Amino acid sequence: MLKIMKTQSIRMLLFSLLLGIASVVYAQVQVTGRVVDITGEPIIGANVVLKGTGQGTITDFDGKFSLSDLPKKGTLVVSYIGYVDQTVKIEGGNFYKIVLSEDTETLEEVVVVGYGTQKKSDLTGSVMQVKSKDITSVTANNPIQALQGRVTGVSVVTNSRPGESPTLRIRGNGSISAGNDPLYVVDGFPLMNGSLNEINANDIASIEVLKDASATAIYGSRGSNGVIMITTKTGGKDSKNLSFNANYGFQMPGRLIETMSHDQFIDYINSAYMNSKGTTVYNDENPAPDTHTDWQRETLYGCKPVQDYSLSLDGTSGDTQYMLSGGIYLQDGLLPSSEFDKYTFRTNVQHKFNNFLKIGTHMQYSYTEANMAELSNYQGALNDIWRDGWPTLPVYREDGTFAVPQDNPRISTLFGDAAYWNPVANYKEVTTKSNVSRLLGDVYAEFQLAKGLTFKTNFGLDIANKRDYNYTTSKITTSTGYGKGGNGYTKKMSRLTENILSYMNEWGDHRFTATGVYSWQNYMYETLSISGNGFANDETGAWDMGQANRETVEYGSDKYENSLISWTGRVTYAYKDRYLLTATARYDGSSRFGENNKWGFFPSIGLAWRASEEKFLAGNKVITNLKVRGSFGVTGNQEIGNYKSLAQLKVDNYIYNDTEIQGFYETIGNPDLKWERANQFDIGIDLSLWNRIHVTADYYHRKTSDLLYNVPIPSTSGFSSMLSNVGSVLNKGWELSITGNIIDLNDLKIDATVNLSRNTNKIKELYNDVQSITLKSGLGLSSYLKVGESLNSRYALLADGIIRTEEQLAAYRKIEATAKMGDEMYKDLDGDNQITVKDQVNIGTTDPKLIYGVALNIQYKKWGISILGNGADDFVGGSSYLQISENQLNASTIGVPSKYAYERMWSPSNPNGTYPAAGASNTHESDRVNSGWYYFVLKSMALNYDFGRNPFKAVKGIKGLSASLNFQNFITFSSQRGYNPENGDTSYPWIKSVSISVNAKF
């Protein structure tokens, strides 16, 4: 009994002890407090959350809050957009006054500019930055693709062909005959060929886009089209990281064109030939075969992989910072024989010997292999489906060889020079390959001469060796039965030497920097090629040129080089972080220009006022950042080719006494040839409201003068024209970017960005008193250079509807005597009762009136959703064979339209059709066909999950692990039905893809 009582007493004692501990641990308290900024002003809507839970509240209009049922030993996390988070330990039910300080990280963010860096808050020019995370969010062979939809004033047009680069323009086109591409600079090295295909996107830390003269004048004669600065990653300070990124995806045709059924095609082709030729194709004498070939499906792959792998090692060891990386990018195309493979290796190393000397290098080696899918002779094979791809044609003959229209003599004459057409054969039997080995990098030494004074000298080299090969087998060259092909070699080399002296000093309210640069850059190009016909043996192809018919062998070679010498200076000054100045000057000498104008001077000045630092806005809760900036400067364009200022001897052959003799003729030089000069003014504003809404707006005005153009000269000179500096072009426009932090809670964050850009282009002057120059004229799409019009204006007829009634037909026959029911009418603007080029009007420009991008990011705990879209509105598009066939634009060739167009063609059974009748005549490109184009592409939709640090107990040392599922180009809207929604191109399919990526850091 005593033993039992003793046991019960012990149990009661333990229970009381545990109850006491629990009462201490889980004691509930109430906490109140007030959240203010450093000036003592209350912060409204600040989040106050018990750490590790969802329990929390927000502050009221006085900054006060109250939370009950909190543990005595808990921790509060206090946060508000634009301020640094604070953690507060709970020590009983006390009143807490919590002071939040502004988060200046955004303003103190460093951006890369020419020959240095600047704090974002100190910028006086128009510069936008895209960071590594956004660059790698898009799977593409070229990292520039990531700028699409993210940067105002930048137009990027996609080329889906593996290994091809997108077309990029910054603030429009400013030149008629010189280049309009921006200058690309990688780790301070200006690229002279502008190719970024060999750069590994995973190696890039950031891309800066320099748009106005204050930012681009530092590059003088090469800055008028803008500058793209690419900065690669360096070693992390006081850390060592091993990172692995893997991306595996599947590509599919994103925009297939719906084709006609067998019966629909028979009806169409017979109607078209009856309407235009007075006879049918398929009838009792020539019955239609049962064959129904979908040439799209026969030529396109339904699904192909794309892979991207990267492994990097970075960190610090003693006084050495390092980054080593290797990458593999493998893309199989959606057409046979179209692939692009890229292998890269990079090392960025910097070693500090002592307080006086640092040395370092940026070095990348890359090797790429591209199969360009019949790029040489059969580039239009897919495009030609809409001209020659009759579904009644088979792919193969009964013996397994490739079938061609020539096999059926009843229809072969209808195909003209396409009598041996077969796109499947074209893709499988034509090989066009190229491989490029490229070494790009520099070595440098930096000396600390005195406090704030540094001198840096570096030598850079960009050398690329390219090998090209093409061969068409005898299975394609049916007319001769022999193969044809060739190969070539190209070497490009750019050498760079720079010496940079920099000074930096801060005293009191003043901050001053000065940079002086001397640079020399040389570019050399050489090429050799050989080709021939008559290869009897397809096994060795064009690698054994000795098998070619010697009489058909052709060869070519070329070599040229140019040099640029520059002196550059820049000073920046800031007073009280309110008043900012940037002044730049560059003096360039180029071998490309005339003896009398070898050198050009390119100055700029930028001013900015950070009004938010003034006393009258200090502590303002609404306007938390306000900067007004303006700039003016002069930049140049030297992209005119080589030796254009010099008289040259050219080779030509002529016949003398029935014998072909080689001779020479002289071209005219121009010793006064000089740079195109762009004078640009920019005014902008950077505004933040409530630290939640961030607005950047710019207006610019850029006039490019001394345009390079071949001007006609009197024939008495012995020449027809001379390259001269004439005329001017004006680009002006506005840009607007708005980012909003919509929700910023402990577990949920949502932000969105919208950007809009509008550019207008106008020719202000040509040469002498000339008001118009004809580039292309005809009843199709015409182009002229006209004073007062856009550089890329297009001129066409105005469509006036389909002829549906006898009254309309009778009236229109006064203008077009051969008009028929179902033809399209056009407005006779000059009233001369005929349709001519005089009736054409400006229907718009190939440059969109508006380009835009939208982005949405949602983060909930460890889950994230990212959406990116971009679009363009109101521009003029060209005409592919698809559009020609849909609109009956070529009376001599009856093409193959889409099902969409067929169902909308006028016919007696479809009197309300809006497209011309099958086989309609006298139809032309017009405002209906070519103007008012638009598109929108939902470029990327990604679902992400962050596993965090050491997510698996069995595996230690994982610093971070995340995975994502990404859908690219799955949703598109476009005014035309071509494969590429951006420009209507039908030579290569638009690619949509779904990919899974894993990123791990150890």
Side-chain angles (χ1 to χ4, degrees), residues 280-328:
T280 58
V281 175
Y282 295 113
N283 46 48
D284 293 338
E285 296 181 0
N286 181 35
D290 293 332
T291 301
H292 186 75
T293 302
D294 187 337
W295 288 105
Q296 277 188 123
R297 301 290 182 181
E298 294 292 339
T299 55
L300 293 176
Y301 291 128
C303 183
K304 280 292 179 176
V306 57
Q307 306 170 65
D308 191 5
Y309 306 101
S310 179
L311 181 67
S312 66
L313 181 67
D314 72 89
T316 302
S317 179
D319 292 322
T320 302
Q321 282 183 266
Y322 57 88
M323 194 281 286
L324 305 173
S325 75
I328 300 175

Side-chain angles (χ1 to χ4, degrees), residues 602-878:
F602 305 97
S604 76
I605 186 170
L607 300 171
W609 173 42
R610 289 190 63 197
S612 54
E613 296 297 307
E614 298 287 359
K615 291 182 179 180
F616 62 84
L617 281 179
N620 192 292
K621 298 302 177 184
V622 178
I623 302 176
T624 49
N625 180 56
L626 175 61
K627 181 169 71 172
V628 181
R629 47 187 168 76
S631 67
F632 176 80
V634 180
T635 52
N637 189 347
Q638 67 151 9
E639 299 306 316
I640 65 165
N642 298 282
Y643 315 125
K644 298 294 185 180
S645 67
L646 303 176
Q648 302 175 52
L649 283 178
K650 299 284 187 179
V651 177
D652 199 4
N653 295 336
Y654 64 96
I655 304 298
Y656 181 74
N657 287 338
D658 296 326
T659 303
E660 187 177 42
I661 300 176
Q662 187 179 74
F664 298 87
Y665 67 95
E666 184 182 11
T667 65
I668 190 171
N670 183 354
D672 294 320
L673 202 65
K674 60 183 179 180
W675 330 81
E676 293 187 346
R677 295 175 67 86
N679 298 287
Q680 184 170 182
F681 166 76
D682 185 287
I683 185 168
I685 183 172
D686 301 318
L687 172 67
S688 295
L689 303 174
W690 302 286
N691 274 323
R692 299 180 74 103
I693 300 174
H694 309 282
V695 180
T696 297
D698 282 88
Y699 171 81
Y700 60 89
H701 182 283
R702 184 183 73 187
K703 184 178 181 181
T704 306
S705 56
D706 295 328
L707 300 175
L708 292 156
Y709 189 75
N710 278 303
V711 177
I713 58 177
S715 58
T716 53
S717 66
F719 303 95
S720 60
S721 64
M722 180 174 69
L723 187 63
S724 305
N725 295 98
V726 297
S728 61
V729 170
L730 174 65
N731 280 278
K732 62 180 181 179
W734 53 264
E735 301 163 356
L736 177 65
S737 175
I738 303 175
T739 297
N741 304 115
I742 302 171
I743 297 176
D744 188 16
L745 302 176
N746 194 40
D747 290 332
L748 177 64
K749 300 180 187 297
I750 301 177
D751 63 75
T753 298
V754 176
N755 66 71
L756 307 168
S757 305
R758 169 73 184 269
N759 179 77
T760 57
N761 176 287
K762 184 180 293 186
I763 298 173
K764 302 295 290 183
E765 180 185 4
L766 292 171
Y767 59 90
N768 300 331
D769 294 325
V770 173
Q771 298 295 302
S772 178
I773 298 172
T774 300
L775 301 178
K776 177 185 175 183
S777 180
L779 283 179
L781 211 57
S782 298
S783 56
Y784 309 91
L785 299 177
K786 288 186 177 183
V787 174
E789 303 284 0
S790 171
L791 191 66
N792 294 313
S793 289
R794 294 295 182 265
Y795 299 80
L797 301 172
L798 296 180
D800 201 20
I802 303 297
I803 300 176
R804 307 178 191 279
T805 66
E806 293 296 334
E807 291 78 12
Q808 288 178 322
L809 177 62
Y812 195 65
R813 276 184 172 171
K814 297 178 182 178
I815 297 174
E816 192 66 70
T818 59
K820 303 185 296 294
M821 295 291 287
D823 283 0
E824 187 165 46
M825 299 179 288
Y826 303 96
K827 293 184 178 181
D828 177 23
L829 298 180
D830 64 356
D832 64 352
N833 285 332
Q834 56 183 335
I835 299 299
T836 67
V837 293
K838 294 180 181 180
D839 296 308
Q840 291 182 330
V841 298
N842 188 338
I843 62 169
T845 171
T846 56
D847 302 318
K849 287 186 177 179
L850 182 71
I851 58 176
Y852 58 93
V854 293
L856 176 66
N857 296 292
I858 303 173
Q859 190 73 36
Y860 178 70
K861 294 185 177 179
K862 293 185 177 183
W863 291 94
I865 297 175
S866 300
I867 298 174
L868 174 67
N870 70 280
D873 187 61
D874 199 1
F875 60 99
V876 173

Side-chain angles (χ1 to χ4, degrees), residues 253-274:
R255 281 167 57 89
L256 285 177
I257 300 166
E258 189 175 6
T259 57
M260 294 178 287
S261 68
H262 185 271
D263 291 342
Q264 286 176 329
F265 174 76
I266 300 302
D267 175 64
Y268 162 77
I269 203 70
N270 279 339
S271 298
Y273 272 89
M274 177 59 72

